[in-house]
Amino acid sequence: MFKHVINSSHSYKSKHNIFFRYKKQNRPFIGFILNKKFGNAVERNRFKNQARSLFRSKYKDLSCGIIVRPLKPRVTFVEINDALDSLKIKLTAKW
């Protein structure tokens, strides 16, 4: 699923410097592209856990695949929340 979303998807960049690739799927899916420049393993895992938690609570009614790539280090929970909210508004208007 990850390659399918990367290769044939739409993109969106939030105002909080979080880049998304998304595509309509049969079931909800979230993936991540994080490198070591983002931070150490603890910071990368914290970002993934926070994003997964928000994705589960916000996107349970949408069937789409999303790949998340933060463009700056140390993204806060509020920034992740705002970015996923703005993406959901865009997706619900589109589909």
Side-chain angles (χ1 to χ4, degrees):
M1 277 199 282
F2 192 89
K3 281 188 176 182
H4 184 68
V5 173
I6 284 286
N7 293 335
S8 60
S9 62
H10 304 284
S11 60
Y12 172 72
K13 182 182 173 223
S14 74
K15 65 180 181 178
H16 298 292
N17 287 325
I18 299 176
F19 184 74
F20 295 99
R21 305 271 314 179
Y22 60 92
K23 181 164 179 59
K24 197 164 192 167
Q25 297 282 322
N26 293 334
R27 61 187 177 99
F29 162 77
I30 187 167
F32 301 95
I33 300 174
L34 292 169
N35 57 18
K36 289 186 179 182
K37 290 180 184 177
F38 183 77
N40 62 18
V42 173
E43 292 169 348
R44 293 192 305 267
N45 289 334
R46 182 181 302 125
F47 174 82
K48 290 190 285 189
N49 289 334
Q50 289 174 345
R52 276 191 196 111
S53 173
L54 289 168
F55 180 79
R56 269 187 243 118
S57 65
K58 294 177 184 297
Y59 287 81
K60 59 186 167 194
D61 56 338
L62 286 177
S63 55
C64 63
I66 297 175
I67 305 221
V68 183
R69 182 175 177 228
L71 301 176
K72 67 172 187 157
R74 291 172 185 76
V75 179
T76 66
F77 183 79
V78 173
E79 291 173 337
I80 301 168
N81 189 27
D82 291 346
L84 285 172
D85 281 343
S86 63
L87 179 64
K88 185 172 182 180
I89 290 168
K90 180 176 177 145
L91 291 177
T92 53
K94 190 172 189 173
W95 294 329

